[in-house]
Amino acid sequence: MAEPITRTAGAAIVAQLEALGVQRAYVVPGESYLEVLDALHDSPIHTVVCRQEGGAGFMALAEARLTGTPGVVMVTRGPGAANAAIAVHTAWQDAIPLVLLVGLIPVADRDREAFQEFSLTGWFGSTAKRVLTIEHPDRAAAQLAEAFAVAAAGRPGPVVVGLPEDVLVHTTTVPLEPARSPGAGAVSAAQSDALYALLDAARRPLVIAGGSRWSAGAAAELTGWAERHGLPVATEWRAQDIVANDSPAYVGWLGYGQDPVLADAFNTADLLLFVGTGYGDVLSDGYRLGSPDALTVVVDPDPELHGHQRRVDLHLLASPGAFVEAVCHAVPGGEPDPEWTKRLRAAQRRFSTPGADPGGDAVDLDTAMALLAERLPRDAIVTYGAGNHALWAQRFLPHHGPGTLLAPRNGAMGVGVPAAVAASLVHPERRVVSIAGDGCFLMNGQELATAAAYGATPVILVVDNGQYGTIRDHQERAHPGRVSGTALVNPDFAAFAQSFGVYGERVSHTPDLAAALDRAFDAGRAAVLHLDVDPGVLHPRGVA
């Protein structure tokens, strides 16, 4: 029997991370967890030092979306934890597995208003699946393994782990814990029969895919199943990479900026089959779309069906992978209306076709997306944050499988740049492109420094219209002619990029964009293209 290893709790935490297969930890350092930082010095885990805790959290979320395993972010107490809260909220609403490690004040100093003291449970108890604090060095490895298991199980989400400064320096000989695989759930033969009975009777079924826990294999199997049986597949907002967009089964996404034809189909469908997601606020346009008479099937490993807010005629407690393995080999006995899917597919193809350049002095974003789409390989990764600038990317840039889109479903601004940096670190062999608004970019543009430090090579297009465009859009509808609080004064984003040692170029006219894109792609380093656009254009034109 091997001799037990004596190490500090901080070293045990890092060793447990290694045993769990963690490749990268995204950190903003703090004196509250020095013992963990010291153990990372000799660890094979790649420590990615970020410039702000929100950026670090978004990088960890991007890694989780790309790998399916919990992303790891480390921050310090008080202000550091406050900055990281945005990533916890995003992980909760987007169902992404995340483990946030937070350095804390010494146990002996609790409840004395010590420097940067705060309540870990008070802050995160309502937006995390679990909040743990390591109170004894012998529990460090076990609690970390528990955090990873909880983050990945059922409906994935964030787990927050507190690391008291004094506990980290105490020693332990307790061995490491093995990794736990999250349960996939299952579909019984009787449940499969019940599903097919509903499908057989439906004339206007609509499959809606979303959520997380999608593998490339599960997505391809669902798509093939839908193609074979004439079933239309929509996705929830910002999940359109689940289904290959050139599939005859793909009919678009439901949510902000959706095709009105698909929204109407949502209202007239007689059977709704949700796979990996449920009936929620955004995809239903504020709970307005979707006939209440439509039979509803939900495939979700979450027994509580968080976020699903309508009838449930059949709940299959299974992950997408378990669902397709159990169900998608069977053949429906009935057939939907043969024109149903064809009509929705034709509408989606029209909707995703950019409009012709009308001319003018500014960069036309319909044309910009067409030029970009021509240059992206099928496995390219596209990122964006929140704002009207993303309407063009989500409508006109195609996706061909899971792991090609990183965008927040909770509408968090500032995601695009750190997500692109992390994507380039996880997949350095793949093209990574981010579409950023001027407001969104400057919320985490400092992470260009992280890109330069670690050799990440994303190409970032900054759409400059000198305003918070989404809020301006709402203002024009609610208070016409009374613009208030939405104007921006911007820097030269190309010069800003160059100051970090990355490629930067400003483009003010559409005819100059194609060559600028080629130069950015050929730069061999991170690149920023500053696009001057018409502030009066707040929506894509597309093809009517």
Side-chain angles (χ1 to χ4, degrees), residues 245 425 476 493:
N245 294 180
L425 295 177
E476 294 292 358
F493 292 109

Side-chain angles (χ1 to χ4, degrees), residues 214-216 219-220 241-243 400-405 430:
W214 283 94
S215 66
D241 60 334
I242 292 174
V243 182
H400 302 284
T404 61
L405 174 60
R430 291 168 64 178

Side-chain angles (χ1 to χ4, degrees), residues 169-180:
V169 300
H170 294 158
T171 59
T172 178
T173 59
V174 172
L176 303 178
E177 295 281 326
R180 310 180 208 169

Side-chain angles (χ1 to χ4, degrees), residues 58-59 62 238 382-386 389 406-408 412-423 432-437 440-441 444-445 447 458-460:
F58 286 147
M59 289 189 202
R238 298 189 163 183
V382 177
T383 81
Y384 39 85
H389 67 277
L406 301 174
M413 294 181 70
V415 173
V417 172
V421 174
V432 179
V433 173
S434 184
I435 314 300
C440 197
F441 177 85
N444 272 313
E447 301 305 338
V459 172
I460 302 164

Side-chain angles (χ1 to χ4, degrees), residues 72-305:
V72 176
V73 58
M74 300 180 181
V75 303
T76 196
R77 59 206 176 197
N83 284 339
I86 189 171
V88 175
H89 182 268
T90 305
W92 175 263
Q93 289 218 317
D94 288 23
I96 302 173
L98 177 77
V99 174
L100 170 65
L101 304 178
V102 183
L104 298 179
I105 62 169
V107 172
D109 293 345
R110 286 180 187 165
D111 302 321
R112 302 172 70 181
E113 200 59 38
F115 179 62
Q116 297 181 341
E117 182 177 6
F118 74 105
S119 170
L120 194 70
T121 302
W123 282 20
F124 294 109
S126 64
T127 51
K129 293 183 72 175
R130 193 166 299 176
V131 179
L132 307 170
T133 298
I134 297 175
E135 303 282 5
H136 194 283
D138 286 348
R139 292 281 293 142
Q143 287 188 284
L144 200 60
E146 178 184 356
F148 270 68
V150 171
R155 182 183 189 271
V159 174
V160 180
V161 182
L163 311 177
E165 183 178 342
D166 50 349
V167 173
L168 295 178
V169 300
H170 294 158
T171 59
T172 178
T173 59
V174 172
L176 303 178
E177 295 281 326
R180 310 180 208 169
S181 297
V187 179
S188 69
Q191 289 175 322
S192 182
D193 290 344
L195 171 63
Y196 273 97
L198 295 176
L199 284 171
D200 290 347
R203 293 291 287 164
R204 298 181 306 280
L206 182 62
V207 181
I208 302 169
S212 53
R213 298 186 66 169
W214 283 94
S215 66
E221 183 65 28
L222 179 77
T223 303
W225 177 70
E227 290 175 357
R228 291 191 299 273
H229 306 304
L231 302 174
V233 184
T235 70
E236 70 173 322
W237 189 58
R238 298 189 163 183
Q240 60 264 39
D241 60 334
I242 292 174
V243 182
N245 294 180
D246 54 2
S247 165
Y250 177 69
V251 296
W253 79 90
L254 289 162
Y256 302 129
Q258 66 196 347
D259 182 356
V261 174
L262 180 57
D264 182 66
F266 194 14
N267 279 330
T268 57
D270 56 7
L271 173 65
L272 300 173
L273 170 55
F274 293 94
V275 185
T277 188
Y279 182 91
D281 177 18
V282 175
L283 67 78
S284 67
D285 194 14
Y287 309 106
R288 296 188 307 108
L289 298 179
S291 168
D293 298 324
L295 297 175
T296 303
V297 179
V298 184
V299 181
D300 196 313
D302 175 16
E304 299 181 45
L305 288 182

Side-chain angles (χ1 to χ4, degrees), residues 15-27:
Q16 184 64 59
L17 290 175
E18 294 171 6
L20 294 169
V22 172
Q23 300 294 309
R24 274 164 292 273
Y26 298 92
V27 313

